[in-house]
Amino acid sequence: MAEHKEAILLIEDEPQMRRFIRLILQGQGYNVTESGTGEEGLIEAALRNPDVVLLDLGLPDMDGLEVTKRLREWSGVPIIVISAREKEMDKITALDEGADDYLIKPFGAGELLARIRVAIRHRAMQRSGRKEPVLEAGNLKIDFSKRQVFIGGQEVHLTPIEYKLLSLLAGNAGKVLTHSYLLKEVWGANYAQQTQYLRVYMTQLRHKLEADPARPRFLINEPGIGYRFKAGIEK
């Protein structure tokens, strides 16, 4: 059994789902605290300062979106939503309110653990206050300090917009960034609804960086929601 020892707060009202997740996490050495309501979860978050929060949206006392809002008033803890709600707008709203990731029930143990590992890596970087000057993923290398991108050791020319989009995604590797967030950050608030800009530039980036643009390795589409940069094979 792995000895991670990071603290995970699980806010979920279904006993069977809580047991399923608890067994998975404890089997990997994580410390697990459970809450069956949003209010109890907020109290536990304040008391325990967890490394990751797993949050169901359909809680008996308040919507999980409200829990996310209230957590974000004082905490930067990674929040992974675990929900049966499959509508795109539910996912977009949760991510825009401050959630870091979104898993649809039912999900597999491997996927859950991979998302948790990504969230913990992000949290560690936040706490250290540093950003890696160079990111390497497979044959892709991004030198943030020099604003250079390489594929297989060969420099790839990117336009300023392409580089800004790539660096934003790569700097948040593993995290889903919504269309509106990307558009606001790269083009400005007035372009928040201009999703065609994003589609065009993502297509251009994939043709420059991906071995098979139709089956991207790095620039992953989350249909109807946004994009995610996959930095490595999530074992």
Side-chain angles (χ1 to χ4, degrees):
M1 181 181 75
E3 290 295 334
H4 291 289
K5 300 190 178 179
E6 286 92 349
I8 311 293
L9 172 59
L10 171 60
I11 307 176
E12 164 67 64
D13 67 319
E14 296 178 19
Q16 289 184 330
M17 179 58 68
R18 281 209 308 270
R19 181 175 183 276
F20 168 70
I21 295 174
R22 180 178 70 249
L23 291 174
I24 291 171
L25 298 182
Q26 289 179 341
Q28 294 296 311
Y30 291 111
N31 293 321
V32 184
T33 300
E34 300 173 41
S35 298
T37 67
E39 198 63 52
E40 181 184 331
L42 288 167
I43 292 171
E44 291 291 347
L47 290 174
R48 298 179 183 275
N49 190 28
D51 295 288
V52 177
V53 171
L54 301 179
L55 173 64
D56 183 29
L57 295 184
L59 299 170
D61 59 334
M62 69 175 73
D63 193 282
L65 293 175
E66 179 63 24
V67 177
T68 301
K69 289 180 187 177
R70 289 172 61 176
L71 271 175
R72 281 293 172 259
E73 290 174 359
W74 58 272
S75 175
V77 62
I79 300 171
I80 302 176
V81 169
I82 49 172
S83 177
R85 299 181 191 175
E86 298 183 26
K87 292 182 179 178
E88 291 177 359
M89 188 49 63
D90 289 323
K91 301 175 191 177
I92 292 169
T93 302
L95 293 165
D96 281 344
E97 290 293 347
D100 294 82
D101 209 342
Y102 196 110
L103 271 176
I104 297 175
K105 299 175 183 176
F107 47 78
E111 184 176 14
L112 174 64
L113 292 170
R115 302 294 182 94
I116 289 173
R117 288 194 293 271
V118 168
I120 288 172
R121 287 198 296 270
H122 269 287
R123 185 62 163 161
M125 292 293 290
Q126 288 176 346
R127 285 174 168 169
S128 69
R130 64 186 175 87
K131 178 180 179 180
E132 294 291 349
V134 176
L135 182 150
E136 294 191 54
N139 65 341
L140 172 64
K141 176 181 175 181
I142 305 172
D143 188 326
F144 294 104
S145 62
K146 297 180 179 178
R147 298 174 65 87
Q148 291 177 307
V149 178
F150 301 86
I151 288 289
Q154 298 296 312
E155 186 171 2
V156 178
H157 173 72
L158 299 183
T159 69
I161 290 290
E162 289 170 346
Y163 178 80
K164 189 172 183 180
L165 181 57
L166 176 63
S167 63
L168 185 59
L169 285 161
N172 291 278
K175 181 175 179 178
V176 179
L177 302 183
T178 64
H179 294 141
S180 62
Y181 177 82
L182 289 167
L183 286 162
K184 288 176 185 176
E185 291 295 315
V186 177
W187 284 274
N190 292 334
Y191 293 83
Q193 304 303 318
Q194 304 299 321
T195 55
Q196 71 272 17
Y197 281 68
L198 204 48
R199 284 195 297 270
V200 168
Y201 277 89
M202 288 301 295
T203 297
Q204 293 175 185
L205 273 176
R206 282 173 170 162
H207 276 90
K208 290 184 178 182
L209 304 179
E210 303 280 6
D212 183 356
R215 301 181 64 184
R217 156 74 176 76
F218 306 113
L219 301 169
I220 308 302
N221 180 36
E222 298 288 346
I225 302 167
Y227 294 92
R228 173 169 59 93
F229 183 89
K230 189 173 181 180
I233 297 174
E234 296 169 353
K235 299 178 181 178

